[in-house]
Amino acid sequence: MTTCQQPEHLEQYQLWLSEGFHGEMGYLERHLPLKADPLTLLPEARSILVVALSYYLPEQISASLNPEFQIARYARGDDYHGFMKNMLESLATELKAEQPELIWRAFVDSGPLLERSLAQRAGLGWFGKNTCVINPSSGSFMLLGCLLTNLEIPPDKPFTTFHCGSCTRCLDACPTGALTAPHWLDARKCISYWTIEQRETIPESLRESFGDWMFGCDICQEVCPWNLKFAKISEQQAFYPREWMQNASLSDLLQLTAHEFELKIAPRSPLKRPKYRGFIRNLAIVAGNSGRPELLPALTAARLRHAEDTMLSEHLDWSIKRLETLAVQVNG
Ligand code: SF4
Ligand code: SF4
């Protein structure tokens, strides 16, 4: 629980925006006045309940997924925005039954709050060098949500200690150098930004470093000792991976039509965000990085299917060229 005062990290956030580190996520700039003053979202608000929901699943679940591609852990099941907001709304409804004067608004990662800063102030953890909030007993594989209420509830003690110490594992492990300094993420270099937020061309200079990450990236969290030791298993079935992530091959996925994508992949999934074209684009990069010339027929078929789409054609050509070059080297 915390107050509605201005978040402590606001200045740092403004600086981050002014450096252009948010890339083309213009909505982050537009939300700045709301982030600066939570009362703009609910003038009657007097306290903010900040919640964290773990999305970490047992490692054997991850091990059962198709190793040809990787999808960020949070995105393997249902889109959390919907069900987490429902959870907050149910909580508010229960509170209202006891306190009929309750006025509230629920937010889940929807932009207008500096949730990580509020989480630290509510005592949930510290702001790690990988830019995630890290809880000392459950790590950082968690999603944050906020319930603004008009209730005067005593705030929790802010989390004031910092436990990254001299560790730099996340900075060292980031394959694109997106963590340019502790606590500084240049989204313009981040795999998550490009594969999720961007719908058009991914710069060629970055593609190789994406490796097999098809949607998002967990590297800077996976290497964190706090997650390696303390990641807490989620109780939410909704985070369990979709069946196709175990059974569908990269070749199969490259052949999906837009209609099949809408039917089989998109419903209630975070993967619908970059849309069908973003999905195929991301698959093309993973295939190009696979080092497996046997994917050439699937890539060539996809290239024919998307001949009219300049962006997709360019990415598929890039992948085909990489694998053809490799095939020539292998065959002498
Ligand atoms: S999500 Fe991946 S690309 Fe982005 S900062 Fe972390 S390690 Fe780097
Ligand atoms: S990997 Fe190390 S430096 Fe990075 S967030 Fe975790 S503890 Fe902090």
Side-chain angles (χ1 to χ4, degrees):
M1 190 62 73
T2 188
T3 65
C4 299
Q5 286 162 358
Q6 183 170 299
E8 280 71 13
H9 291 93
L10 189 71
E11 258 182 51
Q12 191 180 337
Y13 183 71
Q14 279 171 314
L15 187 63
W16 182 78
L17 286 175
S18 66
E19 296 281 339
F21 281 180
H22 58 304
E24 289 176 23
M25 293 183 282
Y27 64 92
L28 294 182
E29 278 180 72
R30 289 194 296 278
H31 285 153
L32 189 59
L34 306 174
K35 285 181 155 122
D37 181 7
L39 293 184
T40 50
L41 298 167
L42 183 70
E44 300 89 344
R46 293 297 171 265
S47 52
I48 305 175
L49 173 70
V50 190
V51 297
L53 183 67
S54 168
Y55 57 87
Y56 182 77
L57 296 177
E59 277 310 310
Q60 59 265 38
I61 303 279
S62 300
S64 71
L65 301 179
N66 182 349
E68 288 182 296
F69 51 84
Q70 295 206 66
I71 295 170
R73 288 166 191 265
Y74 84 86
R76 295 172 184 172
D78 288 353
D79 189 339
Y80 64 95
H81 290 92
F83 72 81
M84 206 171 154
K85 196 165 179 199
N86 288 344
M87 288 165 85
L88 274 175
E89 287 177 349
S90 304
L91 177 67
T93 307
E94 279 180 37
L95 280 174
K96 196 166 173 69
E98 287 174 23
Q99 312 244 16
E101 75 281 12
L102 178 75
I103 301 172
W104 57 270
R105 271 189 88 179
F107 295 92
V108 175
D109 197 18
S110 45
L113 286 164
L114 265 188
E115 283 163 324
R116 283 173 294 170
S117 192
L118 296 173
Q120 181 169 10
R121 201 166 73 197
L124 288 181
W126 75 95
F127 195 54
K129 290 182 191 176
N130 62 2
T131 75
C132 298
V133 171
I134 306 176
N135 181 280
S137 42
S138 54
S140 68
F141 286 119
M142 56 190 186
L143 301 159
L144 300 173
C146 291
L147 187 70
L148 272 65
T149 82
N150 63 335
L151 302 179
E152 299 266 6
I153 304 173
D156 286 296
K157 263 175 56 183
F159 202 100
T160 50
T161 50
F162 177 67
H163 300 278
C164 284
S166 57
C167 174
T168 55
R169 282 194 203 184
C170 51
L171 287 98
D172 301 339
C174 174
T176 57
L179 290 164
T180 56
H183 316 291
W184 282 95
L185 171 70
D186 187 345
R188 296 164 302 183
K189 292 182 181 171
C190 178
I191 298 170
S192 294
Y193 168 73
W194 285 106
T195 55
I196 301 171
E197 298 290 337
Q198 272 286 346
R199 305 229 168 113
E200 293 300 325
T201 301
I202 293 178
E204 203 175 320
S205 59
L206 286 174
R207 291 178 201 167
E208 199 175 331
S209 53
F210 283 23
D212 55 2
W213 285 98
M214 192 261 270
F215 185 92
C217 164
D218 283 333
I219 295 173
C220 56
Q221 294 199 83
E222 281 177 345
V223 298
C224 178
W226 293 91
N227 284 330
L228 291 170
K229 280 191 209 136
F230 301 117
K232 193 176 167 194
I233 307 279
S234 178
E235 291 169 5
Q236 281 297 321
Q237 288 294 318
F239 289 122
Y240 275 73
R242 298 276 160 95
E243 209 182 315
W244 67 263
M245 294 178 192
Q246 292 167 322
N247 304 332
S249 69
L250 202 47
S251 298
D252 296 339
L253 294 171
L254 277 163
Q255 304 316 316
L256 281 184
T257 62
H259 180 64
E260 287 166 332
F261 173 80
E262 293 304 330
L263 217 62
K264 297 177 183 166
I265 309 287
R268 298 191 328 282
S269 165
L271 272 77
K272 66 176 178 288
R273 187 161 173 86
K275 301 197 180 293
Y276 171 65
R277 293 173 71 243
F279 181 76
I280 298 291
R281 173 202 63 188
N282 295 349
L283 287 170
I285 293 180
V286 171
N289 287 335
S290 68
R292 293 170 52 215
E294 62 267 30
L295 291 174
L296 277 167
L299 282 167
T300 308
R303 174 68 176 84
L304 271 176
R305 180 190 299 277
H306 300 293
E308 304 292 311
D309 187 318
T310 317
M311 183 278 280
L312 283 183
S313 299
E314 190 273 318
H315 284 76
L316 288 159
D317 283 343
W318 176 84
S319 305
I320 289 168
K321 196 169 157 208
R322 288 202 80 197
L323 295 185
E324 279 178 348
T325 308
L326 197 72
V328 169
Q329 285 168 357
V330 169
N331 298 326

